[in-house]
Amino acid sequence: LDGFWPSLSLSLQIAVLSSALSLVAGTLAALAIARGRLPGATALGTLLVSPLMMPGLVLGIALLQYFRMIGLTATWSALLVAHLVVTLPYVARTMIAGLSRFDFTLIEAARTLGCTYAGSVIRVMVPALAPSFLIAGLFSLLASFDNYPVSIFLTDVRSKTLPIRMLQYIEEAPDPTLAALSTLILAGTLVLLLISDRLVGLHRMAGTAD
């Protein structure tokens, strides 16, 4: 498995960072949309989730042409921006659904009891939206880590994400190595689900996804 470590490291870096950035940007956008105070909120919501409606190959080619046009040649940076485009819709869609069920008067009630605005958000909103945060983070993390159709247009010989490296390996030297690696990835996914169940419960996550 030694030959896969650079690709695994690259995929993890891109997945974690793009998911974190998506959580911040997607939550802020969802807040603006859910509160209904932003002009064109409906159009913004449609724009945020539009990448989900596009074939991955089309999105990958469009991003490749755009990066060439603006002169972005760094593979790592291009992958990060592209995966941000891929993961942001998952976060935005999940957070909009979660915030649509949140009672914002609870924040005002907390403020009347002496909390600052930031304190009321941290003590009231964040715990209430924990399932939404968790499921959005998981969806975006897995969507980035497993992405192939967009990444294939942006990698180079030295920098390849794990899905691309695995596909090339099976074409060049098919052996049980890929089966072992796939088992490890599946085990890691199950561990994430178990941790999520411990933190907020899978039934609450399923309710948020609906």
Side-chain angles (χ1 to χ4, degrees):
L1 298 177
D2 291 343
F4 289 95
W5 285 116
S7 296
L8 176 60
S9 176
L10 177 62
S11 291
L12 286 175
Q13 291 174 31
I14 297 297
V16 171
L17 189 53
S18 63
S19 298
L21 293 174
S22 293
L23 278 173
V24 174
T27 301
L28 292 176
L31 276 170
I33 293 171
R35 295 303 298 269
R37 297 178 180 177
L38 183 69
T42 302
L44 176 60
T46 303
L47 179 64
L48 285 173
V49 300
S50 60
L52 292 177
M53 309 171 192
M54 299 177 61
L57 292 175
V58 174
L59 185 60
I61 294 173
L63 287 171
L64 176 62
Q65 295 297 327
Y66 175 71
F67 292 152
R68 284 181 176 176
M69 183 178 66
I70 64 175
L72 180 59
T73 58
T75 300
W76 196 93
S77 300
L79 281 171
L80 177 61
V81 174
H83 281 231
L84 184 60
V85 173
V86 171
T87 57
L88 185 58
Y90 292 97
V91 174
R93 186 174 181 180
T94 304
M95 295 310 300
I96 290 172
L99 285 166
S100 66
R101 294 192 291 267
F102 179 73
D103 186 2
F104 286 93
T105 59
L106 294 175
I107 293 180
E108 300 302 325
R111 294 186 67 184
T112 60
L113 295 175
C115 278
T116 63
Y117 184 80
S120 61
V121 168
I122 294 173
R123 295 184 181 184
V124 178
M125 179 183 289
V126 172
L129 296 177
S132 298
F133 285 123
L134 190 54
I135 197 170
L138 281 175
F139 277 162
S140 59
L141 187 71
L142 294 176
S144 173
F145 188 82
D146 192 46
N147 184 271
Y148 177 85
V150 173
S151 301
I152 189 63
F153 293 99
L154 304 172
T155 55
D156 55 26
V157 176
R158 292 175 296 178
S159 302
K160 297 177 182 177
T161 59
L162 188 60
I164 295 174
R165 181 72 183 90
M166 291 175 68
L167 183 60
Q168 291 180 344
Y169 184 85
I170 200 172
E171 293 175 348
E172 297 169 358
D175 61 39
T177 302
L178 282 184
L181 184 58
S182 299
T183 301
L184 290 175
I185 294 173
L186 178 60
T189 303
L190 291 176
V191 169
L192 283 176
L193 289 176
L194 289 174
I195 293 174
S196 303
D197 186 36
R198 282 286 189 178
L199 291 175
V200 299
L202 292 179
H203 63 286
R204 292 181 67 191
M205 292 175 61
T208 301
D210 294 338

